[in-house]
Amino acid sequence: MSDQQQDRPDLSRRRKPQAAPDERVDPVDYRQRAPTPQAAPVVSQAPVATAGAAPRRGRPRREATVPFSTRLAPDVLELIDAASAAEDGATIRSVVEAAIREKYQTK
Amino acid sequence: MIESMQTLMVYSESGGVSKTTTAVSIAMTAAGQGRRTVLVDLDPRAAATKWLDVAPSGEGLHVGAILGDDDPQGWGEDLAVQSNWSNNLRVIPSARNVSNREADRADHAELRLRTALVGISADLVVIDCPNRQGGPLILSALNAADSIVYAATASSDGVDGVAGARRTVEQFRLSRERIGAPVTLSEAGIVCGRVQETIPSRPAVASTDELRATGMLLMPLVPERAIIQEVRLTGEWYGNYRKGAPVLSAYTKIVNQVIR
Ligand SMILES: Nc1ncnc2c1ncn2[C@@H]1O[C@H](COP(=O)(O)OP(=O)(O)OP(=O)(O)O)[C@@H](O)[C@H]1O
Ligand SMILES: [Mg+2]
């Protein structure tokens, strides 16, 4: 092995340095992008509409997480099950979030 | 050739206890002695970067680029910018956005700084740490460093910051041992900076005694001098001024004890 071992890495073959993908995101706006697998699901109560509440303007404020319920094709369900089983600590939520971000997130 | 680069981190969990002054002083003194030195600013506050008045070589090409990429091999060399203080001193700058990396929990992200520094052409790397209780930035430094200097002032914050930092280091050692990984990090000592030379207050005396009781307090104590704050404003090295001589002399004696 010591014969094989190089003195130092070959610096000519390395990638050029790049800024972190969120370089232009100010720390106050920073949200972690990759879902943390073990993150405990945030239990959020749906806001109860109270009579006479001032109408909201602009984009409605979302809870940190929202319940998600819709019909899915069986093959998609199977994909979700397989993916969440394959990865240690993955949940249905983390798998779905990762997939959606992957396809639709525009930086 | 035997690789003998030393990587030294300057750390305390308290803020404002002369970490940056100590890191910059060690780096610049060593550079003045002819060692090829790279100073890594790991603090999003970027105090060392501002003091040395250096800027990243391109947008986002600060230490956060290294910490944000899963294969930053050789980037230490690429991102190090030349300081105009000394031909032997280069700086890997920091920036406010390095703070984004504190939320990163990617697997093995704590090894990226170490990876980036492998093969860098330097005899000495000095890492100026932020005042954090562990966390991704400190873990990056702990994994990259082979020696650690604690920075303190003669105050309860100084003592407390060193105690916390030593706990972090101890915990790091334990977790390395648990996975059977070698622990190469050694404690080089405590630097006590910004010490008033007039009659010291009782808390100052008590704090110095506590630091001494660790058996790791490095001598001499670094005297307080207004020029240290003045040169921060002008972006200069205090060693170029007569008023800086007592501080330079103290840090030089310390460098001779902590640098191999
Ligand atoms: N020997 C000294 N004489 C006078 N002032 C000093 C001396 N050493 C440090 N200072 C001043 O004390 C303040 C804090 O020092 P420094 O920035 O080095 O601490 P720090 O631990 O890096 O702080 P932070 O936690 O903000 O990173 C600075 O204003 C610095 O100029
Ligand atoms: Mg500092």
Side-chain angles (χ1 to χ4, degrees), chain B residues 210-244:
Chain B
E210 273 190 67
L211 293 173
R212 196 174 287 117
T214 61
M216 292 202 312
L217 182 60
L218 296 166
M219 285 295 159
L221 307 180
V222 179
E224 178 172 56
R225 286 291 187 279
I227 186 154
I228 303 304
Q229 277 145 51
E230 291 161 17
V231 290
R232 285 245 189 148
L233 300 174
T234 56
E236 291 172 290
W237 170 232
Y238 61 80
N240 295 342
Y241 292 97
R242 215 174 323 126
K243 293 276 188 199

Side-chain angles (χ1 to χ4, degrees), chain B residues 15-21 41 43 45-48 128-131 232:
Chain B
V17 292
S18 78
K19 293 180 296 295
T20 298
T21 308
D41 188 354
D43 189 345
R45 205 166 73 81
D128 182 24
C129 291
N131 61 320
R232 285 245 189 148

